[in-house]
Amino acid sequence: MAHILEQTPSSSTGAANLFAAAAAMEDSNGEHADYSSINRATALVSPTEQEYELITSKVRDLMEEGRGETIFELGTGEDTGEVGLTEEELAASVATLKSIADIMDSDCNQLRSKPCEGGKKSVQYLVRQRADIRDFMEIRVAVVGNVDAGKSTLLGVLTHGELDNGRGFARQKLFRHKHEAESGRTSSVGNDILGFDSTGAVVNQPDHGSLDWVKVCENSSKVITFIDLAGHERYLKTTVFGMTGHAPDFGMLMVGANAGIVGMTKEHLGLALALSVPVFVVVTKIDMCPPNVLQETLKLLVKILKSPGCRKVPVMVKTGDDVVLSATNFVSERLCPIFQVSNVTGENMDFLKMFLNLLSTRSPNTDNEPAEFQIDDTYSVPGVGTVVSGTTLRGRIRINDNLLLGPDPLGHFQSIAVKSIHRKRMPVTEVRSGQTASFSLKKVKRSNIRKGMVMVSPAVEPQCCYEFEGEILVLHHPTTISTKYQAMVHCGSIRQTASIIRMSSECLRTGDKAQVLFRFVKHPEYLKEGQRLVFREGRTKAVGNVNKVLPYTPAVVGKEKVKTAAKVSQQQVRGEGKRRQGSTAVSSHVSTVLSSQGPTVVSSQGSTVVSSQTSLPAGATTTQSHQTSLPAGATTQSQPGTATSQAASSLQQPAQA
């Protein structure tokens, strides 16, 4: 009996644990149990009311996850392995899906159909929310490649809907500066947009050659923002900033078919891989390139993509099915689609547009977290004031929100209010995570803001840092890197020189990996653990992650310190007063001595030096001390020092009366 009694408590706790585990299993299976009844291929053919509700909630969840769109497959069972529907079943399933889409104010578009056994087939549909005037989904694509690969020309053709003439006609609309138009080379980070509506059609309709961004955004469910970067080696700094600071979702690597993979192509591909940005390749100028040269270029491209450094699976896109397959598996698999296009004839341009239409955003939905916004450019707009542009990393920001802007050169964050918000030149009331926007700020000078600063919610309680630890991999360095080595660190929109304080190994060469402690040279920055960093100086390049941030607490001037500073300044004023009184006393003493020797003494310069008590006739010229009172018309030079020196000289010489 005793041993049973002894075991009872533990056995009862064991039973409790079992029940808790069973309950937890039920909870965890609850979500799957919800959808298990609708996992069969024919679930949408004639669903019951309960099944219809489940299907609706499933589609809604998928659309929230995909920020307003999802690709839904009809005719495949997830668990049962059934594949394909007959024509009647397919028609019924499509009708069910369209009715659900109507409830959610969305459109359905067939992407592809796949034949299955027994004459059945499965179909993929794109379900996308209809255009909301004030809100649209945004995807950023960085366009990189060597000089003369046709980056700006392709963007001109895509965004303005007009083919190129082979002489630089399409790219003229995109250049921001006069020297770019003259040389044909992009030197700055350009922005261009391509809008798609809920059916997948292109919205861009230029009026008289210029594109109205507001009109495009109002009619679009999805907007692709192209970040047009410079290809020339001279502008590598700008290109690196575009890749890190503008936070692109995808990279579009451009290769000229006739020139092949030359110059900066590998450099830009390596940069995209280092920052973990998925890349797809566009081979341009296929109309003017001989077939054998094109084949050589493609062969070399495939070889590079399959190499151990890239480890990608190249896919040549030749049909619409290839586009859908590569777009749906682009992020999850290591796929790298390769498009071959011509800007002059427009060949395969539709496949590229379809692919861009199907791209889904990579950034997770963090709308409910405290707001955080990184600044990558500042402007001073006449009549508006200071405007900052950048990317919302997490949370929501609304008009009149109070945020903390910083860190300033001393490491402080100041409170600011958001006056107005624009997205793609269109006024909006709020901006959500993953979206780019411009804010007009109240009572802030543009000179107080620099690239790399952040605007965060006070709930974040931000801290800046001078020092941080990172794990870096040296991609290329001609000699060795040791401590006190300085180079430019790019981390998000931060660009600043940092020096190495210490390393886990004595010196680093090409291909080495190490844990390194960095210190910023100029001023503190706002960093977070897990951010990617690029470390470069001349030909040296290294990439890595921020592992640990060492917070820096800036000095704060308290009230007591302010009071003592005021006292010191008062004492200084008093001291100066005493000094003035002292000089006056000296001059009056000298004049007294003079008066005791006689009423008038002529100095060596012939001017009359008078004591403080002497009265002069009208028109007499005097050089005298502070306290002399003169009759009207007397000319004076009131310089105590001069009076003293002249008095001294007159004492040395005997009086000549």
Side-chain angles (χ1 to χ4, degrees), residues 18-40:
L18 278 172
F19 281 122
M25 280 174 68
E26 277 183 9
D27 289 344
S28 64
N29 290 337
E31 294 174 18
H32 301 294
D34 281 351
Y35 300 139
S36 60
S37 57
I38 54 166
N39 278 349
R40 62 186 192 280

Side-chain angles (χ1 to χ4, degrees), residues 328-350:
T328 47
N329 300 315
F330 183 35
V331 180
S332 56
E333 307 295 328
R334 301 190 71 90
L335 282 186
C336 180
I338 299 173
F339 297 87
Q340 302 170 43
V341 301
S342 166
N343 294 321
V344 176
T345 62
E347 190 180 342
N348 293 340
M349 202 61 80
D350 290 339

